[in-house]
Amino acid sequence: MKNDLVCKNIQKEYKGDGVTTIALKEVDVTFREGEFVSIVGPSGSGKSTLLSLIGTLDSPSKGTIHYGDAALEKMKAKALADFRFENIGFIFQQYHLLPTLTAIENVLAPLFSRKVPYKKKERAEELLASVGLGDKLHSLPSQLSGGQQQRVAIARALVHQPKWLLADEPTGNLDTETSEIIYDILKTLNQEQGCGVIFVTHEPELAARADRTIEMKDGVIVKDSRSVVHA
C-alpha cells in the first residue's frame, strides 16, 4: 500500500576511535499502513536506531527504506524535511517541550513556517481537547504534570496530520496509571484516525496489547508476531 514502510537489508554502523559498532544487522521488515506495532528488546538491541532510520532522523549505512514508491535513503535534506512534515510524527521519552511556550504554542510550533490547508489554531485546540487538555491551552510546561506534558507532545506530533506516529519510550518517565492513559490515547488515535503507530517500549504489558510485536536483540529481529486479541 502507498503508506507502507519497507526496510530491506538495513544495516547501521557507528565508527569512532578506530572501533566500528554495528547497531543494526541486515534488518528486513515491513510496517503496513495503519498498523499499531510495538518494538521491544533490551537496551542496545537496536530499537531506537531502527525508529530513527524509519523517521529519517538518521540514514542507514547499508540497505534501503521505501515509503510507498519513495526511496528515503536517496532523498536530499530538503526533500527529507518535507517528507517528515508530510508523513511522520515523533514522540520521545523526554517531552522536548519549549519551556517558555504555552501548551497550544508548543503544539503549533511545527507549523510556524509551513502553509497548511486548515486553520492552525483550531486544529491545535481540537488536538489538545482530544487528549484531555482542553482546559490547559495556556499552561506552561512547568505548570503541567509529566503525563500532561506527554499529552501535549502527542498533540504536537499530530498537528501536521502525519501518516505514521513514531513513539520512542513515550511512557518511560511515567507511572503505571499514566502510562496506561498515554497508551490508550495512542491506540484510540490509531483506531479512529487510521494513523499508523510504531511504539518502542520496555514494558511487556503494553507491548502485548499492540496489533503486532517485534522483538529485537543485538541489532536483529528475533521475533515478529501478531496479537490474537487486541486491547
Side-chain angles (χ1 to χ4, degrees):
M1 299 175 74
K2 66 178 182 178
N3 294 326
D4 287 358
L5 282 164
V6 182
C7 302
K8 293 185 177 180
N9 200 35
I10 292 297
Q11 185 147 316
K12 182 61 183 178
E13 301 175 357
Y14 296 101
K15 297 181 180 181
D17 297 327
V19 177
T20 298
T21 301
I22 300 177
L24 290 177
K25 304 173 185 177
E26 300 182 351
V27 170
D28 289 293
V29 62
T30 296
F31 299 97
R32 300 295 183 189
E33 179 179 359
E35 278 191 311
F36 193 106
V37 184
S38 62
I39 302 180
V40 299
S43 296
S45 60
K47 306 183 303 297
S48 295
T49 300
L50 179 59
L51 208 65
S52 69
L53 296 181
I54 294 168
T56 74
L57 297 179
D58 201 354
S59 56
S61 305
K62 174 184 173 183
T64 62
I65 302 175
H66 281 76
Y67 182 85
D69 296 327
L72 303 190
E73 75 281 354
K74 295 181 179 179
M75 290 184 183
K76 302 297 184 183
K78 175 63 167 62
L80 279 175
D82 290 340
F83 170 84
R84 279 193 298 271
F85 181 79
E86 293 167 6
N87 298 285
I88 305 291
F90 292 96
I91 307 170
F92 302 97
Q93 181 175 351
Q94 306 296 333
Y95 320 123
H96 297 308
L97 300 182
L98 297 171
T100 60
L101 298 185
T102 63
I104 192 168
E105 289 170 340
N106 266 286
V107 174
L108 287 168
L111 304 181
F112 282 163
S113 61
R114 294 279 185 170
K115 292 182 179 180
V116 292
Y118 47 84
K119 294 181 179 179
K120 297 178 181 180
K121 187 171 181 291
E122 287 184 8
R123 175 153 179 79
E125 290 175 346
E126 290 171 359
L127 284 168
L128 284 168
S130 74
V131 296
L133 295 178
D135 60 341
K136 302 291 185 181
L137 302 182
H138 305 294
S139 298
L140 293 170
S142 60
Q143 298 170 315
L144 301 173
S145 68
Q148 289 172 330
Q149 290 184 62
Q150 190 61 289
R151 292 190 221 180
V152 174
I154 291 171
R156 179 185 57 192
L158 290 166
V159 73
H160 55 291
Q161 299 179 323
K163 310 296 189 306
W164 283 94
L165 199 57
L166 308 184
D168 193 359
E169 297 282 0
T171 62
N173 288 332
L174 306 175
D175 60 70
T176 301
E177 182 179 353
T178 307
S179 295
E180 290 281 347
I181 292 171
I182 295 300
Y183 175 90
D184 289 340
I185 288 171
L186 294 176
K187 190 67 175 177
T188 299
L189 290 167
N190 169 256
Q191 292 173 336
E192 295 184 356
Q193 298 185 22
C195 180
V197 176
I198 304 175
F199 182 96
V200 168
T201 182
H202 276 103
E203 301 174 64
E205 297 84 3
L206 293 182
R209 292 167 57 192
D211 300 332
R212 175 184 175 196
T213 300
I214 291 172
E215 184 177 345
M216 299 190 69
K217 184 178 180 181
D218 297 329
V220 300
I221 293 173
V222 295
K223 189 176 181 181
D224 188 343
S225 58
R226 295 187 180 277
S227 298
V228 177
V229 178
H230 298 168

